[in-house]
Amino acid sequence: MTERIEKSSTTLYQALWNSADILRSKMDANEYKSYLLGLVFYKYLSDNMLRYVSVLLEEETEDLQVAQRLYVKACEDSDIKEDLLEELQDEFSYTIEPQLTFTAQVNAIHDGSFQLEDLVQGFRDIEQSSEIFENLFEDIDLYSKKLGVSPQKQNKTIADVMKELSVLNMAGHAGDVLGDAYEYLIGQFASESGKKAGEFYTPQPVAKLMTQIVLQGKENQKGFSVYDPTMGSGSLLLNAKKYSNESGTISYFGQELNTSTYNLARMNMILHGVSTANQDLRNADTLDQDWPTEEPTNFDAVLMNPPYSANWSADKGFLEDVRFSTYGVLAPKSKADFAFLLHGYYHLKDSGVMAIVLPHGVLFRGGGEGKIRKVLLENGAIDTVIGLPANIFFNTSIPTTVIILKKDRPTKDVLFIDASQGFEKAKNQNTLTDEHIDTILEAYAKRENKEKYAYVAGFEEIVENDYNLNIPRYVDTFEEEEDIPLETISTTIQQTKKDLAHAESELFGMLNELHGTTEDADKELQEFISKLMNDGDNVE
């Protein structure tokens, strides 16, 4: 059984990536991800619906062509069709007409009758079925010139992608297999998109680390709530599902500014089997206006990977905003890092845990940021500072830090973990392995000093350091250079001299074989070589 699932998963991943090849030559990954992920999602909705049609008609099958024929035949009777569509709407909150299913449209591709207008209509019908799917496909421009300079070429490009995807039965994958494959695709797009990827993706090892920290000791909690106000594709939020033993009861709250990315998160949630009743996602500017403002407003966990050192208005009116008013100053206009942090912290329950990724500058920069940091430390809000390796994010090569915040702590000490050297070097990115993550988690749980790795700093020590949280001030990772005996140094110098003499001899030998193209040129060349050799002899 396990072998069959693994084989199925491999086929799924391969087919998804093959379909990406068709679009890869036409536009960059940041653009074509919307087309491919949108079509994958449409096929998922269509396949699920067709399988359920066969169940309702009491002829259950996983063969999509058989289910399609059953659906078409049933809809030839207007009374049966009306009842069937009503059942489907109740079950899925959407319906797809028989001629517009993914299967039907692939059949049309094979017989030469496929038109993009049918796919557009299929998208539109789903969007209009329920507010859950409202505007879900709005950023997928099927008439874009990038797909082809003519309608016929646009038609062919999308048809080719659909044919690649047609070999998959999306309804035949159990659990999170399809959702994880979707995450894999998003990760591949992030790798190709470079800096633009920071808008929508947190690498899985970092997401895994942060999620396990906020869920520590709460794995069996029912009704656990998690909030990400800069959710991107939702990968951070969805990790909670992996590490909770009551995943079916988790409530997900997320906000995202970019509409395309917001739609991606909505699809990602559904593909991971998250009930629409358990998710509350919003397309808006997190800093511009507080959300959520109606219950629930505070959460068991806050997970954030906001854009680093982004610009924001920092309008004076925000000093009256409940999220920022306690601190007396605002984050600088050119660095919204603390604005994001304070927003997330405001929405954390008294018993909750927050994990946020930010650049190291937030640990030591002065001005308004220094004042905010001081208030946070005086309130005991900053629990742990973890230094991550450089080059593990797609949108920056700089080292970053994960800051863990809590409320109502009995102490004001801070645990510092320097994990900057624990990584595996990959082709383009560094990555954290499970072993690296486990080492960090162990240090976090033990909260003890560990030479050259972890240090618990008391509040008095932090005050003495003028509230500066720069990790090297607390974790000494200096390694003394090994003493080398003078005899070894002398031997090395002598060998180096011999090597230089040998190389010089070979060079002059090659120079002596050179000749000028004329008698004068040859004479001039020989004089130059002779001078060069004499200069070499004079060098001590």
Side-chain angles (χ1 to χ4, degrees):
M1 177 66 175
T2 302
E3 186 179 336
R4 185 163 63 86
I5 291 175
E6 287 178 356
K7 185 177 179 181
S8 175
S9 299
T10 303
T11 304
L12 174 63
Y13 280 56
Q14 191 61 55
L16 291 175
W17 201 235
N18 287 347
S19 58
D21 284 336
I22 297 166
L23 296 167
R24 191 173 284 114
S25 61
K26 299 179 183 296
M27 60 192 84
D28 69 37
N30 203 47
E31 294 175 292
Y32 75 70
K33 77 175 191 300
S34 296
Y35 291 95
L36 182 55
L37 295 173
L39 286 169
V40 168
F41 187 67
Y42 186 70
K43 178 164 174 51
Y44 168 79
L45 296 180
S46 176
D47 291 1
N48 258 4
M49 192 198 74
L50 279 180
R51 187 196 64 78
Y52 193 63
V53 164
S54 73
V55 172
L56 291 174
L57 296 174
E58 298 181 350
E59 294 186 53
E60 184 173 355
T61 179
E62 290 189 6
D63 187 321
L64 294 173
Q65 291 293 347
V66 172
Q68 175 68 24
R69 288 193 290 272
L70 289 170
Y71 190 29
V72 170
K73 185 177 180 181
C75 287
E76 288 172 355
D77 184 317
S78 58
D79 290 335
I80 294 176
K81 179 180 180 180
E82 186 177 343
D83 290 342
L84 190 56
L85 292 178
E86 189 176 323
E87 288 271 7
L88 292 173
Q89 183 68 33
D90 287 343
E91 178 68 20
F92 297 113
S93 299
Y94 68 87
T95 57
I96 305 173
E97 290 285 337
Q99 72 278 11
L100 299 180
T101 66
F102 195 98
T103 302
Q105 297 196 53
V106 169
N107 291 341
I109 289 170
H110 289 304
D111 68 24
S113 62
F114 171 72
Q115 293 296 323
L116 275 180
E117 287 77 7
D118 290 336
L119 185 57
V120 172
Q121 187 61 51
F123 285 171
R124 189 179 298 122
D125 286 354
I126 288 173
E127 290 179 327
Q128 294 174 352
S129 293
S130 166
E131 63 179 19
I132 296 167
F133 304 104
E134 189 177 354
N135 300 322
L136 194 59
F137 301 99
E138 66 177 325
D139 55 317
I140 302 175
D141 181 6
L142 293 173
Y143 303 114
S144 169
K145 294 292 185 185
K146 291 185 178 182
L147 294 172
V149 294
S150 66
Q152 291 78 17
K153 289 187 175 180
Q154 293 159 12
N155 217 64
K156 183 179 185 308
T157 298
I158 294 299
D160 287 345
V161 175
M162 292 178 72
K163 281 193 289 185
E164 283 288 347
L165 295 175
S166 67
V167 300
L168 302 171
N169 182 342
M170 300 288 189
H173 292 280
D176 277 339
V177 173
L178 182 58
D180 288 345
Y182 207 65
E183 281 282 332
Y184 161 79
L185 266 185
I186 295 171
Q188 294 300 312
F189 293 140
S191 179
E192 289 190 26
S193 298
K195 288 188 176 181
K196 292 180 181 178
E199 298 173 8
F200 62 85
Y201 190 68
T202 301
Q204 275 300 306
V206 180
K208 179 178 180 179
L209 170 66
M210 295 169 69
T211 309
Q212 286 186 272
I213 285 175
V214 301
L215 265 165
Q216 196 170 89
K218 300 177 182 177
E219 295 86 352
N220 297 318
Q221 180 178 324
K222 291 184 178 180
F224 188 84
S225 60
V226 57
Y227 176 50
D228 185 350
T230 56
M231 69 177 172
S233 63
S235 61
L236 261 177
L237 283 173
L238 283 163
N239 266 268
K241 193 171 186 284
K242 298 178 182 179
Y243 302 108
S244 168
N245 298 325
E246 296 289 346
S247 59
T249 70
I250 296 175
S251 295
Y252 302 86
F253 291 78
Q255 186 161 235
E256 171 57 40
L257 175 61
N258 183 289
T259 302
S260 297
T261 309
Y262 163 70
N263 287 332
L264 185 57
R266 294 163 72 193
M267 294 179 191
N268 204 5
M269 282 279 170
I270 294 171
L271 284 167
H272 275 89
V274 176
S275 165
T276 52
N278 285 15
Q279 52 176 291
D280 193 343
L281 310 182
R282 188 169 181 256
N283 182 202
D285 186 331
T286 286
L287 298 183
D288 185 55
Q289 192 172 1
D290 189 23
W291 181 85
T293 55
E294 296 179 2
E295 291 295 336
T297 59
N298 292 340
F299 307 96
D300 293 305
V302 175
L303 291 164
M304 295 181 71
N305 177 23
Y308 307 146
S309 300
N311 294 321
W312 77 303
S313 71
D315 188 278
K316 287 184 179 180
F318 282 117
L319 285 169
E320 304 300 319
D321 191 305
V322 289
R323 297 171 294 171
F324 314 120
S325 58
T326 304
Y327 304 89
V329 291
L330 298 172
K333 284 186 177 182
S334 61
K335 294 179 177 67
D337 302 317
F338 267 112
F340 283 114
L341 183 149
L342 295 181
H343 171 91
Y345 188 64
Y346 173 74
H347 286 286
L348 184 67
K349 279 184 180 179
D350 288 349
S351 59
V353 181
M354 173 178 170
I356 183 170
V357 186
L358 289 171
H360 276 258
V362 298
L363 301 175
F364 55 80
R365 288 192 298 245
E369 291 183 301
K371 292 175 182 176
I372 293 170
R373 191 169 59 248
K374 179 182 177 182
V375 175
L376 287 167
L377 287 164
E378 287 175 339
N379 291 338
I382 299 177
D383 177 86
T384 304
V385 174
I386 304 169
L388 296 179
N391 201 33
I392 58 171
F393 285 87
F394 296 109
N395 59 325
T396 181
S397 60
I398 63 170
T400 50
T401 179
V402 174
I403 302 176
I404 310 302
L405 299 102
K406 297 178 182 178
K407 293 182 176 178
D408 287 347
R409 292 178 62 221
T411 65
K412 298 180 184 179
D413 60 9
V414 177
L415 169 65
F416 292 88
I417 299 174
D418 188 341
S420 60
Q421 301 307 309
F423 61 89
E424 186 176 273
K425 210 165 184 57
K427 186 178 179 182
N428 298 316
Q429 301 287 138
N430 294 329
T431 187
L432 298 174
T433 65
D434 285 347
E435 185 179 348
H436 297 132
I437 293 169
D438 289 343
T439 302
I440 297 171
L441 291 172
E442 182 183 8
Y444 173 76
K446 285 186 174 180
R447 204 172 182 84
E448 297 172 349
N449 294 344
K450 181 179 178 182
E451 189 177 2
K452 299 187 184 303
Y453 192 77
Y455 180 77
V456 181
F459 182 65
E460 294 76 13
E461 185 177 355
I462 292 168
V463 173
E464 287 175 11
N465 278 311
D466 200 22
Y467 300 94
N468 186 317
L469 299 181
N470 200 17
I471 298 172
R473 284 184 176 239
Y474 304 94
V475 182
D476 180 12
T477 57
F478 177 74
E479 295 281 355
E480 288 189 10
E481 291 187 13
E482 184 182 349
D483 290 336
I484 303 174
L486 285 174
E487 186 181 339
T488 303
I489 295 172
S490 177
T491 303
T492 303
I493 290 172
Q494 293 304 317
Q495 184 60 47
T496 302
K497 282 183 175 181
K498 287 180 182 179
D499 292 343
L500 284 171
H502 180 69
E504 188 179 83
S505 175
E506 286 191 338
L507 173 63
F508 289 145
M510 289 186 286
L511 288 173
N512 280 324
E513 294 178 6
L514 295 176
H515 295 283
T517 54
T518 65
E519 188 175 329
D520 288 342
D522 188 54
K523 183 179 179 183
E524 187 176 339
L525 176 62
Q526 294 308 314
E527 288 176 354
F528 171 74
I529 293 171
S530 177
K531 183 177 184 303
L532 192 63
M533 293 176 70
N534 288 332
D535 288 344
D537 290 339
N538 292 330
V539 175
E540 292 295 333

